[in-house]
Amino acid sequence: MATVPGPLIWEIVKKNNSFLVKRFGNGSAGVRFSKESNNLYNVHSYKYSGLANPKTITIQPGGKDQTVLLATTKTKKQNKPARLFHRTVMKKDFRRMAKAVKNQVADNYYRPDLRNAALARLSAVQRSLKVAKSGVKKRNRQALKIRGRK
């Protein structure tokens, strides 16, 4: 079975698809977002589209613990959805995860144009996984004004 080229898919789905979210701003300026799972910036454009591109990257929370899932699509398995993704679970600290994402995306020549988007998504996912520290709040250490003295 022959696969359909990405630019043709984009021309078909660019005007209307189930993932498209239109928000209207000031005047006639409208913003288009996308809810695709493989879209790193959630922007409706060909570059970030998970539907039209054969090579896509997904970064999302891994599960219950503080893990992050990095999934890339296999170009040879486009017609087999069950085996489409190469999944990697990362449990390291943020700097090591950032280095792993950078190596996987840019240094492997997979999609070097998505390096900054992948690092931004990793940062947002890592920030969402942080648990707020509970306990006593620190007191404001600014100098207090004392009345009556000059």
Side-chain angles (χ1 to χ4, degrees):
M1 181 176 157
T3 58
V4 181
L8 177 62
I9 293 174
W10 178 248
E11 288 300 320
I12 293 170
V13 301
K14 111 174 132 175
K15 294 280 185 184
N16 194 8
N17 63 48
S18 63
F19 299 111
L20 184 61
V21 178
K22 295 179 183 177
R23 297 286 180 234
F24 297 103
N26 297 334
S28 63
V31 181
R32 292 178 166 204
F33 296 108
S34 180
K35 294 191 287 185
E36 302 167 27
S37 62
N38 299 336
N39 195 327
L40 289 173
Y41 275 150
N42 294 334
V43 176
H44 184 67
S45 71
Y46 176 71
K47 178 179 179 179
Y48 301 111
S49 175
L51 297 173
N53 287 311
K55 292 182 175 182
T56 60
I57 300 160
T58 304
I59 298 175
Q60 54 190 331
K64 293 178 273 184
D65 49 352
Q66 301 285 328
T67 61
V68 176
L69 176 73
L70 169 69
T72 56
T73 53
K74 301 176 188 174
T75 56
K76 304 281 185 184
K77 306 284 184 184
Q78 292 292 325
N79 55 354
K80 296 179 182 175
R83 292 194 243 161
L84 183 63
F85 291 107
H86 180 266
R87 292 176 177 85
T88 306
V89 177
M90 298 183 287
K91 302 177 186 176
K92 303 169 187 163
D93 62 342
F94 179 75
R95 288 184 184 193
R96 287 185 179 181
M97 283 193 284
K99 185 175 180 182
V101 167
K102 193 175 103 175
N103 288 341
Q104 185 75 16
V105 175
D107 294 345
N108 266 355
Y109 302 107
Y110 186 74
R111 286 281 304 269
D113 58 325
L114 293 182
R115 182 182 64 130
N116 290 338
L119 290 174
R121 173 62 77 148
L122 175 67
S123 177
V125 168
Q126 185 71 14
R127 206 175 322 119
S128 72
L129 290 176
K130 280 190 177 178
V131 178
K133 293 181 182 178
S134 62
V136 179
K137 290 187 177 181
K138 290 186 178 180
R139 208 176 127 218
N140 191 0
R141 296 196 177 253
Q142 292 180 348
L144 298 172
K145 290 185 178 180
I146 300 173
R147 292 187 181 188
R149 289 189 178 177
K150 290 187 179 181

